[in-house]
Amino acid sequence: MGGAAGPRGHWPSPGEALYAASKAAVEQITRVASRELGGRSITAHTLSLGPTDTDLLRDSASPGALDGAAAMTALGRIGRPSDVADLVALLVRADNRWVTGQNIRADGGRT
């Protein structure tokens, strides 16, 4: 089971109280789900992703904003869909069965 919460939930800006609260709610639901589903060997996680190179992001952000977001990460780039897919593949492996109820930040070292 997985959910998504972005880094803005951890570092909200003025005017984003409801947005940040919704992200916090996703994290708490994940913790509860991990306890409710753990008896059936089902793990639950929340992924807090940084900017990820998708059509939606490219269509809604200026090139300057994308460059600025990349510069804010330790890796010097925005995420790729394959970065997210690799993380999900890691989490669903049987040898990660002891990890559950976590909010995992995958943002290239931005936060």
Side-chain angles (χ1 to χ4, degrees), residues 6-103:
R8 286 177 26 201
H10 299 288
W11 296 100
S13 298
E16 294 184 339
L18 295 177
Y19 177 83
S22 72
K23 297 300 184 177
V26 170
E27 290 181 41
Q28 292 303 316
I29 290 167
T30 299
R31 288 186 182 125
V32 171
S34 72
R35 292 182 175 266
E36 291 179 350
L37 301 173
R40 293 188 283 172
S41 299
I42 298 171
T43 60
H45 304 286
T46 299
L47 303 181
S48 290
L49 306 172
T52 304
D53 190 4
T54 62
D55 291 341
L56 178 63
L57 181 65
R58 291 216 171 260
D59 290 346
S60 63
S62 70
L66 294 175
D67 291 342
M72 292 171 51
T73 70
L75 299 178
R77 65 175 178 84
I78 62 173
R80 300 177 187 122
S82 61
D83 296 325
V84 179
D86 290 345
L87 176 57
V88 171
L90 175 72
L91 290 171
V92 300
R93 291 173 42 141
D95 55 353
N96 285 318
R97 64 191 167 274
W98 187 240
V99 180
T100 191
Q102 300 301 304
N103 175 35

